[in-house]
Amino acid sequence: MILIISVIIFVLVEGILIFSIIRYRERPGAPNPFQNHGNLKLELVWTVIPTLVLFVILFFTIRGLLYVAPENEPAASASQPKIEVTAIGHQWWWEFYYPNYHVTTADTLEVPVNTTVHVNLFSNNVIHSFWVPALTGKTDVVPGHNNTKWFVAEKAGTYTGICAEYCGTQHANMRFNVKVVNNNDFQSWVSTQQQAAAAPTDPLAQKGAALFKNQCSSCHGIVGVNLKQFYNTAQECTDLPGGKANGTPECLIGPNLTHFGSRNLLAGGVLDNNTANGNCDPNNPNLMQQCNLAKWLKDPQGVKPGNDMNIGELTNDQIQQLVAYLEGLK
Ligand code: HEC
Ligand SMILES: [Cu+2]
């Protein structure tokens, strides 16, 4: 709306300017142009009109601010259900925890359509900002000051979210998706996500699982492997850097991978989890070139320089095993 008003004013003013430059350009023998210096009426007009325009914009801005304010969040009702999520800003990826369902995911926030989504924003590092341009405005995610926000998605689909506050070198690769689905799909997604990871039966994947326990479980959690359950890292790890929360799970630095194979993005959206067309089929002879997960595991620092996944080099065989295991975690 502000853009439309501004464009109209811009075109009007520039149009008159260009018209005047051409129409009233200096011609040989022309008299001095009309002098309007000190014309009270004119000066009042061009002061009062812009003031009025700005007040109109101010009115709509304040109305919008009040509408999206936390106080205006609709109460849960049969016609307007509500879900709660905790969005945790890490450097540089988003973790999403659903406190009522005890589910943790990363990079994709899945929500039901026409439902109020109450978002608790949390960071224990630097300031991030949660922004989904097509669905909701920016709200800062401030360490020690837990903002909340709410939004309602009225149409199913996938919307791009980004971090809108510079938070370090890979700030631009701190993207996420909001996937809006119908209520039944959401419920079945939740019940799948609540499960512990299935133990692999395929021999390649079994080797991958053993490798995971050995080399990855100090930073990544998988429920059923090194975690007993999903937990709220925002509440249970706040004052426990690297420590244990009440003797239960460790505060791990990397994304929870329990259902990694069901996700579409990888490491803050730096790559897609491109499993279509057999790209990440462990028997694909071009696995290392075609599967983004393989590329990530080969060289996480090359793909996303400065990120916190510092690991020794893996062999192609090991990567094949890990791809078989992780992509099988649906
Ligand atoms: C030193 C800690 C650390 C170790 C060890 C580690 N990772 Fe990571 N990993 C991370 C961090 C941190 C990220 C997120 C990086 C980012 O997006 O900025 C990550 C991201 C990932 C992702 C993307 C997950 C997602 O949902 O976006 C996968 C998959 C992954 N790691 C697999 C592995 C595997 C397999 C191993 C073992 C070979 C491993 N990691 C070892 C810290 C670690
Ligand atoms: Cu950020």
Side-chain angles (χ1 to χ4, degrees), residues 95-98 102-106 193 230-233 256 258-259 263:
E95 176 176 355
F96 301 108
Y97 176 73
Y98 297 69
H102 303 290
V103 161
T104 299
T105 184
Q193 297 287 315
F230 293 105
Y231 62 101
N232 186 347
T233 57
N256 187 302
T258 308
H259 297 287
R263 307 213 284 252

PDB file of all heavy atoms in Angstrom, residues 95-98 102-106 193 230-233 256 258-259 263:
ATOM      1  N   GLU A  95      16.154 -24.333  14.270  1.00  0.00           N
ATOM      2  CA  GLU A  95      15.593 -25.548  14.849  1.00  0.00           C
ATOM      3  C   GLU A  95      14.145 -25.242  15.244  1.00  0.00           C
ATOM      4  O   GLU A  95      13.856 -24.142  15.717  1.00  0.00           O
ATOM      5  CB  GLU A  95      16.409 -25.913  16.098  1.00  0.00           C
ATOM      6  CG  GLU A  95      15.874 -27.104  16.863  1.00  0.00           C
ATOM      7  CD  GLU A  95      16.777 -27.488  18.039  1.00  0.00           C
ATOM      8  OE1 GLU A  95      17.866 -26.893  18.205  1.00  0.00           O
ATOM      9  OE2 GLU A  95      16.365 -28.373  18.799  1.00  0.00           O
ATOM     10  N   PHE A  96      13.237 -26.212  15.036  1.00  0.00           N
ATOM     11  CA  PHE A  96      11.835 -26.025  15.411  1.00  0.00           C
ATOM     12  C   PHE A  96      11.416 -27.145  16.343  1.00  0.00           C
ATOM     13  O   PHE A  96      11.579 -28.315  16.025  1.00  0.00           O
ATOM     14  CB  PHE A  96      10.942 -26.000  14.168  1.00  0.00           C
ATOM     15  CG  PHE A  96      11.318 -24.908  13.196  1.00  0.00           C
ATOM     16  CD1 PHE A  96      11.929 -25.213  11.988  1.00  0.00           C
ATOM     17  CD2 PHE A  96      11.101 -23.574  13.512  1.00  0.00           C
ATOM     18  CE1 PHE A  96      12.306 -24.209  11.108  1.00  0.00           C
ATOM     19  CE2 PHE A  96      11.472 -22.557  12.645  1.00  0.00           C
ATOM     20  CZ  PHE A  96      12.080 -22.877  11.428  1.00  0.00           C
ATOM     21  N   TYR A  97      10.915 -26.738  17.495  1.00  0.00           N
ATOM     22  CA  TYR A  97      10.449 -27.709  18.481  1.00  0.00           C
ATOM     23  C   TYR A  97       8.964 -27.466  18.738  1.00  0.00           C
ATOM     24  O   TYR A  97       8.535 -26.318  18.892  1.00  0.00           O
ATOM     25  CB  TYR A  97      11.251 -27.548  19.783  1.00  0.00           C
ATOM     26  CG  TYR A  97      10.772 -28.455  20.895  1.00  0.00           C
ATOM     27  CD1 TYR A  97      11.030 -29.818  20.860  1.00  0.00           C
ATOM     28  CD2 TYR A  97      10.046 -27.945  21.976  1.00  0.00           C
ATOM     29  CE1 TYR A  97      10.583 -30.661  21.866  1.00  0.00           C
ATOM     30  CE2 TYR A  97       9.601 -28.774  22.992  1.00  0.00           C
ATOM     31  CZ  TYR A  97       9.870 -30.134  22.921  1.00  0.00           C
ATOM     32  OH  TYR A  97       9.426 -30.962  23.924  1.00  0.00           O
ATOM     33  N   TYR A  98       8.175 -28.520  18.754  1.00  0.00           N
ATOM     34  CA  TYR A  98       6.724 -28.410  18.972  1.00  0.00           C
ATOM     35  C   TYR A  98       6.438 -28.896  20.389  1.00  0.00           C
ATOM     36  O   TYR A  98       6.363 -30.106  20.623  1.00  0.00           O
ATOM     37  CB  TYR A  98       5.968 -29.287  17.964  1.00  0.00           C
ATOM     38  CG  TYR A  98       6.149 -28.879  16.512  1.00  0.00           C
ATOM     39  CD1 TYR A  98       7.374 -29.037  15.870  1.00  0.00           C
ATOM     40  CD2 TYR A  98       5.090 -28.355  15.773  1.00  0.00           C
ATOM     41  CE1 TYR A  98       7.537 -28.663  14.533  1.00  0.00           C
ATOM     42  CE2 TYR A  98       5.244 -27.989  14.439  1.00  0.00           C
ATOM     43  CZ  TYR A  98       6.471 -28.146  13.835  1.00  0.00           C
ATOM     44  OH  TYR A  98       6.628 -27.788  12.520  1.00  0.00           O
ATOM     45  N   HIS A 102       6.077 -32.762  21.263  1.00  0.00           N
ATOM     46  CA  HIS A 102       7.433 -33.261  21.509  1.00  0.00           C
ATOM     47  C   HIS A 102       8.056 -33.780  20.231  1.00  0.00           C
ATOM     48  O   HIS A 102       8.353 -34.968  20.083  1.00  0.00           O
ATOM     49  CB  HIS A 102       7.433 -34.324  22.615  1.00  0.00           C
ATOM     50  CG  HIS A 102       6.843 -33.805  23.878  1.00  0.00           C
ATOM     51  ND1 HIS A 102       7.481 -32.853  24.645  1.00  0.00           N
ATOM     52  CD2 HIS A 102       5.657 -34.050  24.468  1.00  0.00           C
ATOM     53  CE1 HIS A 102       6.716 -32.552  25.668  1.00  0.00           C
ATOM     54  NE2 HIS A 102       5.603 -33.252  25.585  1.00  0.00           N
ATOM     55  N   VAL A 103       8.213 -32.853  19.297  1.00  0.00           N
ATOM     56  CA  VAL A 103       8.822 -33.159  18.009  1.00  0.00           C
ATOM     57  C   VAL A 103       9.870 -32.087  17.730  1.00  0.00           C
ATOM     58  O   VAL A 103       9.642 -30.918  18.025  1.00  0.00           O
ATOM     59  CB  VAL A 103       7.733 -33.127  16.905  1.00  0.00           C
ATOM     60  CG1 VAL A 103       8.354 -32.973  15.533  1.00  0.00           C
ATOM     61  CG2 VAL A 103       6.851 -34.373  16.967  1.00  0.00           C
ATOM     62  N   THR A 104      11.001 -32.485  17.197  1.00  0.00           N
ATOM     63  CA  THR A 104      12.039 -31.526  16.830  1.00  0.00           C
ATOM     64  C   THR A 104      12.379 -31.698  15.360  1.00  0.00           C
ATOM     65  O   THR A 104      12.528 -32.823  14.884  1.00  0.00           O
ATOM     66  CB  THR A 104      13.336 -31.768  17.629  1.00  0.00           C
ATOM     67  OG1 THR A 104      13.057 -31.619  19.007  1.00  0.00           O
ATOM     68  CG2 THR A 104      14.419 -30.769  17.223  1.00  0.00           C
ATOM     69  N   THR A 105      12.506 -30.576  14.650  1.00  0.00           N
ATOM     70  CA  THR A 105      12.964 -30.664  13.276  1.00  0.00           C
ATOM     71  C   THR A 105      13.875 -29.464  12.987  1.00  0.00           C
ATOM     72  O   THR A 105      14.110 -28.633  13.855  1.00  0.00           O
ATOM     73  CB  THR A 105      11.766 -30.761  12.309  1.00  0.00           C
ATOM     74  OG1 THR A 105      12.264 -30.927  10.989  1.00  0.00           O
ATOM     75  CG2 THR A 105      10.883 -29.554  12.388  1.00  0.00           C
ATOM     76  N   ALA A 106      14.399 -29.410  11.785  1.00  0.00           N
ATOM     77  CA  ALA A 106      15.272 -28.293  11.409  1.00  0.00           C
ATOM     78  C   ALA A 106      14.943 -27.887   9.988  1.00  0.00           C
ATOM     79  O   ALA A 106      14.472 -28.702   9.188  1.00  0.00           O
ATOM     80  CB  ALA A 106      16.743 -28.707  11.492  1.00  0.00           C
ATOM     81  N   GLN A 193       6.732 -38.060  12.907  1.00  0.00           N
ATOM     82  CA  GLN A 193       7.904 -37.395  13.493  1.00  0.00           C
ATOM     83  C   GLN A 193       8.107 -37.776  14.960  1.00  0.00           C
ATOM     84  O   GLN A 193       9.220 -37.689  15.478  1.00  0.00           O
ATOM     85  CB  GLN A 193       7.763 -35.869  13.375  1.00  0.00           C
ATOM     86  CG  GLN A 193       7.711 -35.356  11.944  1.00  0.00           C
ATOM     87  CD  GLN A 193       9.048 -35.409  11.231  1.00  0.00           C
ATOM     88  OE1 GLN A 193      10.073 -35.030  11.782  1.00  0.00           O
ATOM     89  NE2 GLN A 193       9.056 -35.898  10.006  1.00  0.00           N
ATOM     90  N   PHE A 230      12.777 -36.489  22.145  1.00  0.00           N
ATOM     91  CA  PHE A 230      12.979 -35.111  21.694  1.00  0.00           C
ATOM     92  C   PHE A 230      12.876 -34.211  22.910  1.00  0.00           C
ATOM     93  O   PHE A 230      12.140 -34.492  23.846  1.00  0.00           O
ATOM     94  CB  PHE A 230      11.900 -34.726  20.684  1.00  0.00           C
ATOM     95  CG  PHE A 230      11.997 -35.490  19.393  1.00  0.00           C
ATOM     96  CD1 PHE A 230      11.105 -36.510  19.118  1.00  0.00           C
ATOM     97  CD2 PHE A 230      12.978 -35.189  18.462  1.00  0.00           C
ATOM     98  CE1 PHE A 230      11.183 -37.221  17.919  1.00  0.00           C
ATOM     99  CE2 PHE A 230      13.064 -35.893  17.269  1.00  0.00           C
ATOM    100  CZ  PHE A 230      12.168 -36.910  17.000  1.00  0.00           C
ATOM    101  N   TYR A 231      13.597 -33.107  22.888  1.00  0.00           N
ATOM    102  CA  TYR A 231      13.503 -32.214  24.031  1.00  0.00           C
ATOM    103  C   TYR A 231      13.687 -30.777  23.574  1.00  0.00           C
ATOM    104  O   TYR A 231      14.182 -30.511  22.473  1.00  0.00           O
ATOM    105  CB  TYR A 231      14.521 -32.591  25.103  1.00  0.00           C
ATOM    106  CG  TYR A 231      15.962 -32.487  24.648  1.00  0.00           C
ATOM    107  CD1 TYR A 231      16.728 -31.389  25.005  1.00  0.00           C
ATOM    108  CD2 TYR A 231      16.541 -33.479  23.870  1.00  0.00           C
ATOM    109  CE1 TYR A 231      18.042 -31.284  24.601  1.00  0.00           C
ATOM    110  CE2 TYR A 231      17.845 -33.381  23.460  1.00  0.00           C
ATOM    111  CZ  TYR A 231      18.597 -32.277  23.821  1.00  0.00           C
ATOM    112  OH  TYR A 231      19.884 -32.172  23.394  1.00  0.00           O
ATOM    113  N   ASN A 232      13.266 -29.874  24.411  1.00  0.00           N
ATOM    114  CA  ASN A 232      13.297 -28.456  24.082  1.00  0.00           C
ATOM    115  C   ASN A 232      14.679 -27.900  24.405  1.00  0.00           C
ATOM    116  O   ASN A 232      14.975 -27.572  25.550  1.00  0.00           O
ATOM    117  CB  ASN A 232      12.223 -27.733  24.896  1.00  0.00           C
ATOM    118  CG  ASN A 232      12.105 -26.277  24.483  1.00  0.00           C
ATOM    119  OD1 ASN A 232      12.956 -25.750  23.778  1.00  0.00           O
ATOM    120  ND2 ASN A 232      11.037 -25.636  24.932  1.00  0.00           N
ATOM    121  N   THR A 233      15.514 -27.772  23.378  1.00  0.00           N
ATOM    122  CA  THR A 233      16.882 -27.309  23.644  1.00  0.00           C
ATOM    123  C   THR A 233      16.877 -25.878  24.170  1.00  0.00           C
ATOM    124  O   THR A 233      17.803 -25.463  24.854  1.00  0.00           O
ATOM    125  CB  THR A 233      17.752 -27.385  22.379  1.00  0.00           C
ATOM    126  OG1 THR A 233      17.142 -26.612  21.364  1.00  0.00           O
ATOM    127  CG2 THR A 233      17.914 -28.806  21.900  1.00  0.00           C
ATOM    128  N   ASN A 256      18.981 -32.026  14.908  1.00  0.00           N
ATOM    129  CA  ASN A 256      18.480 -33.362  15.209  1.00  0.00           C
ATOM    130  C   ASN A 256      18.212 -34.088  13.881  1.00  0.00           C
ATOM    131  O   ASN A 256      17.558 -33.559  12.995  1.00  0.00           O
ATOM    132  CB  ASN A 256      17.187 -33.221  16.020  1.00  0.00           C
ATOM    133  CG  ASN A 256      16.678 -34.547  16.524  1.00  0.00           C
ATOM    134  OD1 ASN A 256      16.414 -35.451  15.746  1.00  0.00           O
ATOM    135  ND2 ASN A 256      16.539 -34.656  17.835  1.00  0.00           N
ATOM    136  N   THR A 258      16.814 -37.264  13.516  1.00  0.00           N
ATOM    137  CA  THR A 258      15.952 -38.443  13.669  1.00  0.00           C
ATOM    138  C   THR A 258      15.149 -38.757  12.404  1.00  0.00           C
ATOM    139  O   THR A 258      15.011 -39.916  12.029  1.00  0.00           O
ATOM    140  CB  THR A 258      14.981 -38.242  14.856  1.00  0.00           C
ATOM    141  OG1 THR A 258      15.751 -37.872  15.992  1.00  0.00           O
ATOM    142  CG2 THR A 258      14.201 -39.509  15.149  1.00  0.00           C
ATOM    143  N   HIS A 259      14.621 -37.699  11.741  1.00  0.00           N
ATOM    144  CA  HIS A 259      13.835 -37.926  10.523  1.00  0.00           C
ATOM    145  C   HIS A 259      14.411 -37.120   9.373  1.00  0.00           C
ATOM    146  O   HIS A 259      13.674 -36.562   8.562  1.00  0.00           O
ATOM    147  CB  HIS A 259      12.366 -37.586  10.770  1.00  0.00           C
ATOM    148  CG  HIS A 259      11.736 -38.467  11.797  1.00  0.00           C
ATOM    149  ND1 HIS A 259      11.425 -39.785  11.555  1.00  0.00           N
ATOM    150  CD2 HIS A 259      11.427 -38.244  13.102  1.00  0.00           C
ATOM    151  CE1 HIS A 259      10.912 -40.326  12.658  1.00  0.00           C
ATOM    152  NE2 HIS A 259      10.914 -39.409  13.602  1.00  0.00           N
ATOM    153  N   ARG A 263      13.148 -34.490   5.215  1.00  0.00           N
ATOM    154  CA  ARG A 263      13.270 -33.029   5.101  1.00  0.00           C
ATOM    155  C   ARG A 263      13.732 -32.620   3.704  1.00  0.00           C
ATOM    156  O   ARG A 263      14.380 -33.388   3.001  1.00  0.00           O
ATOM    157  CB  ARG A 263      14.255 -32.528   6.165  1.00  0.00           C
ATOM    158  CG  ARG A 263      13.875 -33.006   7.573  1.00  0.00           C
ATOM    159  CD  ARG A 263      14.234 -32.033   8.650  1.00  0.00           C
ATOM    160  NE  ARG A 263      15.619 -31.969   9.009  1.00  0.00           N
ATOM    161  CZ  ARG A 263      16.109 -32.451  10.164  1.00  0.00           C
ATOM    162  NH1 ARG A 263      15.321 -33.057  11.026  1.00  0.00           N
ATOM    163  NH2 ARG A 263      17.382 -32.311  10.429  1.00  0.00           N
TER     164      ARG A 263
END
